[in-house]
Amino acid sequence: MLNENNKMRFESIDYLENGSELQKEAYKVLTKNEVMEKLVIFQPILVGTIPLDIAIKDSDLDIVCSFENKQVFKEEIQKHFTNYSEFSVVEKIFQDEPTVIVRFVLDNFPVEIFAQSMPSNQQIAFQHMLIEHEVLTDRGEEFTKEVIRLKESSIKTEPAFAQLLNLKGDPYLALLEYGVNQKII
């Protein structure tokens, strides 16, 4: 079962400062550029492979955010990040939710900000990360190495976990169902 401290731990990036070399580098880049501070009113949470320490070459800094007003969010994004290389903003509907996806490169780190109107800690990417963290903690180093090996063979994170956990169907939904069944989320 998920330790509430782990959930709260991920809601700040402070843990990165004492993590792996890649996590320390991510921490430096995010703090030097004040990314989380610039996004603070949008509940930013770093999610994905870097917080879990299963990143591979080309892994990006994934940040989920929550907006009440999509236009205000877009204006703030433009104000703070438009000058970074490869900057782009895309709007789409994802799982019936209006979504804004922002991409740019920050000191050699690709960054993706994924924003919806639901609270950041309720978004699927955060839920997946909590489940994956618990599985990695529970299954240990060999399982972690196998996830990384699958990722290096071009399998995305959730499908890699689904394969190793023998989950059937859509890996993204199956992983969420696994998390519910295991009382992780």
Side-chain angles (χ1 to χ4, degrees):
M1 172 152 326
L2 179 67
N3 179 330
E4 197 62 31
N5 288 336
N6 284 336
K7 183 177 179 182
M8 290 187 328
R9 169 191 138 182
F10 285 121
E11 291 181 4
S12 163
I13 62 167
D14 293 345
Y15 65 94
L16 296 173
E17 190 173 19
N18 299 308
S20 68
E21 289 309 309
L22 181 62
Q23 289 175 326
K24 289 175 185 175
E25 186 62 28
Y27 179 81
K28 286 178 195 168
V29 167
L30 290 169
T31 53
K32 178 182 86 174
N33 292 284
E34 300 178 335
V35 173
M36 303 312 250
E37 290 83 356
K38 292 172 181 171
L39 295 170
V40 72
I41 63 171
F42 305 109
Q43 304 170 2
I45 302 175
L46 183 68
V47 297
T49 60
I50 292 174
L52 294 172
D53 204 20
I54 56 170
I56 61 170
K57 182 179 175 249
D58 301 329
S59 288
D60 58 0
L61 292 167
D62 290 312
I63 302 170
V64 292
C65 288
S66 176
F67 57 75
E68 288 182 24
N69 181 310
K70 183 171 58 170
Q71 192 57 40
V72 169
F73 175 76
K74 287 172 46 182
E75 288 168 6
E76 286 295 307
I77 289 297
Q78 293 281 346
K79 181 170 92 178
H80 294 298
F81 304 110
T82 193
N83 292 326
Y84 289 106
S85 74
E86 299 180 40
F87 177 82
S88 70
V89 178
V90 175
E91 288 186 56
K92 62 191 258 184
I93 301 296
F94 180 77
Q95 298 186 325
D96 300 325
E97 286 286 325
T99 303
V100 178
I101 301 170
V102 181
R103 292 184 177 101
F104 55 91
V105 176
L106 184 67
D107 296 351
N108 298 318
F109 273 100
V111 176
E112 180 178 283
I113 300 171
F114 183 94
Q116 293 183 316
S117 61
M118 71 174 57
S120 298
N121 65 7
Q122 293 176 20
Q123 292 183 30
I124 288 175
F126 185 70
Q127 299 299 314
H128 280 161
M129 184 177 68
L130 294 178
I131 295 164
E132 292 158 0
H133 177 264
E134 288 298 307
V135 169
L136 292 170
T137 300
D138 185 52
R139 302 274 174 127
E141 187 177 341
E142 287 307 311
F143 187 92
T144 301
K145 287 179 183 176
E146 194 59 21
V147 169
I148 293 169
R149 187 190 68 72
L150 288 173
K151 289 179 59 52
E152 288 172 337
S153 72
S154 300
I155 296 176
K156 294 210 168 272
T157 305
E158 285 76 6
F161 274 86
Q163 181 178 326
L164 293 172
L165 293 170
N166 233 3
L167 304 177
K168 304 297 179 217
D170 179 320
Y172 298 89
L173 297 176
L175 191 60
L176 287 175
E177 187 175 314
Y178 176 85
V180 170
N181 291 338
Q182 298 297 312
K183 297 181 176 37
I184 297 170
I185 59 171

